């Protein structure tokens, strides 16, 4: 029996020495150490041995088992290490590779101009109010002294949704809206930026959707000189301290008198150039003293208070300021265009 054990050991170690894979090692482990293996079988048969033989054979059997186990453990450790090594190598991260830059957004040039304008008026004590783009005929026209058959409605071709509801053609409806909200209280002093819509065919200078910034001031004793002073201060902060303004008579149904406001050309300083079409002046605003009818309709007494209103188009200002020759650039979302403003 002792010879059988020794032979078993030689055979097992021989096979183990030639093992070539984890799979083979598993098979050999079962073959030699498993419940149905020869070693188990031998140990089971020990009952038949004499009392003197039993401990000797038992000891040899344990030694053989230990020897086989030791080699299997050693091989197993090698396989485990090799496998770990392989996995680590596969998962290696090259920390010296440059990172992928995260895309960073930038403020749209139009929004940038709107924010600049807002900052100037905030500094002069105006609040910023926003109103609905889907508007009633009443606020968009009627309350601004444009009754249903008024010819001046043709100045602003409109997108009607029903007879009484339309996409607002201007930010001016915020005038009656705010006056109603304040119920006759003064001062009224706000600007209102937002989108407006007109039935225009899009081209380099027209867009069916564009933006405006409205302004309204109402208080006791507001005069035309307040309008002029406020707008002069505004253009000087936006275009530079040497900027001058010029008021030209104009017409809006909701202001009387009405003016168009030009600024001295910020490119040539008034000498005449391509930007100002050699006039020295650039038109940027419509404005005027609030019409008494408009005050009255929204609950303000024109005998006690007065006010001025103005409206401007940020697209036009942005085009002039940045030398953009097509209004559609602001709406096409062409990143090659937009990226040029990312660092301004
Ligand atoms: N709402 C006028 C327009 O769109 C501009 C304006 C606003 C004029 C306020 C005077 C006062 O043409």
């Amino acid at each position: 029996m002792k010879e059988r054990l020794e032979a078993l050991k030689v055979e097992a170690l021989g096979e183990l020495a030639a093992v070539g894979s984890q799979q083979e090692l598993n098979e050999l482990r079962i073959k030699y150490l498993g419940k149905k293996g020869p070693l188990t079988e031998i140990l089971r048969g020990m009952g038949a041995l004499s009392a003197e033989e039993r401990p000797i054979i038992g000891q040899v059997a344990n030694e053989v088992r230990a020897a086989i186990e030791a080699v299997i453990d050693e091989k197993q450790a090698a396989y485990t290490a090799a496998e770990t090594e392989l996995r680590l190598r596969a998962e290696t991260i090259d920390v010296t590779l440059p990172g992928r830059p995260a895309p960073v957004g930038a403020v749209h040039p139009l929004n940038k101009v709107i924010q600049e304008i807002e900052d100037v008026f905030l500094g002069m004590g105006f609040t910023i109010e926003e109103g609905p783009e889907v508007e009633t005929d009443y606020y968009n026209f009627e309350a601004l002294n444009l009754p249903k058959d008024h010819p001046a409605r043709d100045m602003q071709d409109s997108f009607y949704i029903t007879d009484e509801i339309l996409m607002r053609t201007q930010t001016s409806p915020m005038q009656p809206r705010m006056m109603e909200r304040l119920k006759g209280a003064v001062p009224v002093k706000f600007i209102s930026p937002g989108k407006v819509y007109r039935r225009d065919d899009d081209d380099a200078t027209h867009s069916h959707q564009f933006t405006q910034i409205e302004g309204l001031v109402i208080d006791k004793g507001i005069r035309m000189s307040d309008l002029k002073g406020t707008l002069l201060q505004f253009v000087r902060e936006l275009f530079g301290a040497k900027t001058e303004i010029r008021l030209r008579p104009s017409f809006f149904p909701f202001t009387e008198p009405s003016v168009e406001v030009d600024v001295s050309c910020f490119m040539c300083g008034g000498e005449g150039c391509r930007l100002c079409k050699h006039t020295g002046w650039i038109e940027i605003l419509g404005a005027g003293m609030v019409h008494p009818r408009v005050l009255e309709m929204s609950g303000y007494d024109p005998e006690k208070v007065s006010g001025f209103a103005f409206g401007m188009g940020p697209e036009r200002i942005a085009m002039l300021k940045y030398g953009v020759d097509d209004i559609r650039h602001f709406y096409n979302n062409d990143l090659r265009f937009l990226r040029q403003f990312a660092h301004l």
Side-chain angles (χ1 to χ4, degrees), residues 156 169-172 175 198 212 214-215 252 254-255 286-288 309-312:
Q156 302 179 1
T169 59
Q170 48 187 352
T171 44
S172 301
Q175 295 186 32
R198 288 188 197 179
Q212 283 191 338
E214 192 79 8
F252 301 104
F254 36 91
T255 47
F310 56 89
M312 64 186 110

Side-chain angles (χ1 to χ4, degrees), residues 316-335:
R316 187 171 156 71
I317 294 174
M319 287 168 83
L320 292 167
K321 208 172 151 161
Y322 297 128
V324 176
D325 59 6
D326 194 323
I327 192 171
R328 290 169 292 196
H329 285 313
F330 294 120
Y331 297 106
N332 287 341
N333 279 330
D334 185 336
L335 289 177

Side-chain angles (χ1 to χ4, degrees), residues 139-153:
Y139 287 117
N140 196 82
F141 289 129
E142 293 260 356
L144 290 164
N145 200 27
L146 275 129
K148 279 254 159 41
D149 51 0
H150 198 290
R153 283 195 180 207

